[in-house]
Amino acid sequence: MRGFAVCGILMRNIFAFAIPPYAYSFPTIWNSGEYRDILSWAFVEVFVDGVMRALFALLFGAAAMLVFSSIDKVNVEKIDLYFRRSMWLMAFGLVHSFLLLCSFDILFIYGLLGLFLFPFRNMSPKALLGIAVAGMVVSATMLNLQNGDLFTASPTQNESVESALNEAENATEQSPGDIGANSGAETDGQAAPTAPQAAQPDANQPEPSQPESNTETNEELLTGYLGTIWAGEVDEMQQGYGVIMRNLSQTSLANYSSELLTNHFTDIGILFFIGMAFFKLGIITGQKSLSFYLSLCLGGYAVGLLVNGFETFSDLLQVTLSLEAPLWTNFSYDVGRIAMAMGHLGLIMTLSKVRLFNLVTRLFAAAGRMALTNYMMQTIICTSLFFGYGLGLYGQMGHFDLLMMAFGIAFAQLIFSAIYLRYFRLGPAEWLWRRLSKGKAKPAKDAVSKRKADDNPIAVQTA
């Protein structure tokens, strides 16, 4: 399950490494809005965005509960080990964010929030799920308050759509030079050129006095405004390591401070409690029947497709037709992503119980045993491909090409993990994490006798 999540999260993260933030949210403008790019964006929005993060958090909560279940009243050593592991995971996150330049790191956040789980270990599954539901209400309320008044705002699942529209409208009152200055692009008094992928209006055509439709209003407004912003962002990411590290440091700090309080605390915490409850109920450990997991799969996908599909479609309409998203969109965000995560969970558990799919589940199990290594390697691979100190491909590709590249990298990691674990018991990062936490560790290279237990595709692992 963890291997599926670590491969799946790359399908979203690769866009954060490869193109400007707003470019992901506007497939109709970036790369001229080709249909394959729009469909690729929709696929990620429905099946991946927020969903893989939910799976990771759920599994983290289950792994924490696994440790807690083995602790008795006098077993102080295991309690100490759990807290040291959490703190070292925070250290891995700081390295991942500030040195490897992943400004949206989750390792630090998981480690930090994991420190608060211990007092909840003896709660019943019903109580844990109740806390999760309460967290969903708090999360939705905070998301609406960030977008405006709780009952009068017009929220959307993708906040950047509405935010960019508002910024673009405000920018029309400024001169081109002012816009460039505000965007951070170096213009020397002239408007910065638009990104080559953005659809650009013909400069020789006179600007119409009135747009023909709302579509024209939003499309042209966003193309002109975002093209200038994107040009500056692409230029920044084409610089050397030191410059990029300095530019991303503020984003990393916000990820660990303001974003932690307004977003991560509930967004991730919800799934921690669900994971703990699912562990106690035997769901995450494969103790339920095949029919149960099949029902979870079908039910989760049905609700997830309905909710996420509607939200994704409303985001697209907001840009193309200037339609406002319904008020309940933000309230349904957690419902959609958690339902889709349940669908993925049910699917993997179903496959693990069918002998025909043993090869698939063993590949994901291997990747899951090296989840920390694979997650950090994805950052190293992507920054080497897209940032200026590597191949410098930042801003050069569309949604479809990036999604296909993500599938290729994930497939390579599945194969590499399976081969690596034939000779070593732990991935490099997992070995270092265990060594730092315990002060000593078994060699990464281990006997074959241990391999059989570790290859269990549905095992919840803690290292």
Side-chain angles (χ1 to χ4, degrees):
M1 193 70 242
R2 185 172 294 168
F4 178 81
V6 77
C7 290
I9 203 169
L10 178 63
M11 310 304 164
R12 177 61 182 91
N13 286 352
I14 194 170
F15 294 95
F17 286 116
I19 58 179
Y22 277 153
Y24 166 77
S25 302
F26 297 100
T28 58
I29 299 175
W30 183 260
N31 204 35
S32 302
E34 295 185 9
Y35 283 112
R36 66 177 189 173
D37 290 317
I38 296 175
L39 291 175
S40 298
W41 166 79
F43 171 83
V44 175
E45 281 288 287
V46 173
F47 291 99
V48 179
D49 190 28
V51 178
M52 298 302 171
R53 187 174 67 250
L55 279 177
F56 260 127
L58 186 151
L59 292 170
F60 188 95
M65 198 62 242
L66 174 64
V67 176
F68 298 155
S69 65
S70 64
I71 295 175
D72 55 38
K73 293 182 179 180
V74 296
N75 201 336
V76 179
E77 183 179 351
K78 287 189 176 181
I79 300 174
D80 179 65
L81 176 61
Y82 172 79
F83 281 101
R84 279 190 279 123
R85 284 172 55 82
S86 296
M87 289 187 284
W88 275 115
L89 187 61
M90 294 169 62
F92 272 93
L94 292 175
V95 171
H96 187 225
S97 182
F98 291 100
L99 296 183
L100 299 184
L101 307 187
C102 180
S103 59
F104 45 89
D105 166 74
I106 59 174
L107 300 177
F108 179 91
I109 298 164
Y110 279 31
L112 177 62
L113 297 184
L115 297 175
F116 297 92
L117 294 180
F118 186 75
F120 300 93
R121 68 192 185 283
N122 292 325
M123 283 190 171
S124 66
K126 190 175 183 179
L128 292 169
L129 293 175
I131 294 175
V133 172
M136 292 173 62
V137 175
V138 173
S139 176
T141 302
M142 293 179 67
L143 193 57
N144 275 273
L145 289 174
Q146 290 177 50
N147 287 341
D149 183 78
L150 179 60
F151 298 106
T152 61
S154 54
T156 175
Q157 177 187 1
N158 195 332
E159 298 174 33
S160 58
V161 175
E162 186 173 357
S163 176
L165 284 170
N166 293 335
E167 291 177 10
E169 290 172 356
N170 294 333
T172 56
E173 301 177 359
Q174 306 176 33
S175 65
D178 293 333
I179 298 175
N182 293 337
S183 69
E186 298 181 6
T187 62
D188 294 328
Q190 298 181 359
T194 58
Q197 289 77 13
Q200 303 180 32
D202 189 350
N204 297 322
Q205 293 294 329
E207 183 177 352
S209 58
Q210 293 183 348
E212 295 179 0
S213 65
N214 287 331
T215 301
E216 186 179 354
T217 299
N218 280 1
E219 293 282 1
E220 293 188 354
L221 186 66
L222 289 169
T223 297
Y225 173 72
L226 292 177
T228 302
I229 301 297
W230 289 340
E233 291 176 342
V234 170
D235 180 67
E236 288 181 355
M237 301 308 292
Q238 294 288 356
Q239 305 300 315
Y241 176 85
V243 176
I244 296 177
M245 180 173 65
R246 182 188 63 201
N247 292 337
L248 292 180
S249 62
Q250 293 300 317
T251 305
S252 296
L253 288 173
N255 184 47
Y256 293 154
S257 54
S258 58
E259 284 292 315
L260 176 64
L261 295 175
T262 60
N263 185 7
H264 302 319
F265 195 79
T266 52
D267 179 278
I268 295 174
I270 292 169
L271 276 302
F272 280 2
F273 289 111
I274 295 177
M276 293 172 71
F278 276 19
F279 178 86
K280 289 192 171 188
L281 293 171
I283 297 174
I284 200 70
T285 53
Q287 298 177 28
K288 299 296 183 180
S289 65
L290 176 62
S291 60
F292 175 88
Y293 291 118
L294 187 59
S295 298
L296 182 65
C297 173
L298 296 177
Y301 281 147
V303 176
L305 281 171
L306 179 64
V307 176
N308 288 356
F310 181 85
E311 292 175 349
T312 301
F313 187 61
S314 68
D315 287 342
L316 188 62
L317 292 181
Q318 189 176 17
V319 176
T320 58
L321 298 179
S322 192
L323 297 179
E324 293 184 350
L327 179 64
W328 54 266
T329 308
N330 277 346
F331 287 99
S332 65
Y333 171 67
D334 280 323
V335 175
R337 75 185 185 100
I338 292 175
M340 186 61 69
M342 295 301 104
H344 291 340
L345 174 63
L347 174 64
I348 296 301
M349 289 301 193
T350 298
L351 295 181
S352 71
K353 289 181 172 291
V354 179
R355 188 182 299 271
L356 180 64
F357 298 102
N358 277 354
L359 176 61
V360 175
T361 55
R362 287 187 178 277
L363 286 175
F364 281 126
R369 286 173 55 194
M370 294 178 57
L372 182 59
T373 297
N374 284 325
Y375 179 63
M376 299 183 77
M377 277 302 302
Q378 289 171 4
T379 295
I380 295 173
I381 293 171
C382 288
T383 53
S384 299
L385 287 173
F386 301 114
F387 287 4
Y389 58 83
L391 296 183
L393 297 178
Y394 189 89
Q396 306 302 314
M397 303 176 70
H399 291 65
F400 176 79
D401 295 331
L402 289 172
L403 183 60
M404 293 301 102
M405 180 179 290
F407 275 116
I409 295 173
F411 180 75
Q413 287 192 312
L414 288 173
I415 301 301
F416 172 77
S417 298
I419 296 175
Y420 182 92
L421 291 175
R422 285 183 175 272
Y423 304 97
F424 301 93
R425 179 172 168 249
L426 298 174
E430 287 75 16
W431 178 85
L432 180 60
W433 186 19
R434 175 171 291 189
R435 178 71 187 228
L436 292 170
S437 299
K438 290 187 174 182
K440 60 181 180 178
K442 295 179 181 179
K445 192 171 184 176
D446 204 359
V448 178
S449 58
K450 185 68 178 176
R451 207 171 288 144
K452 183 176 181 181
D454 288 335
D455 280 341
N456 183 355
I458 58 177
V460 177
Q461 301 182 22
T462 60

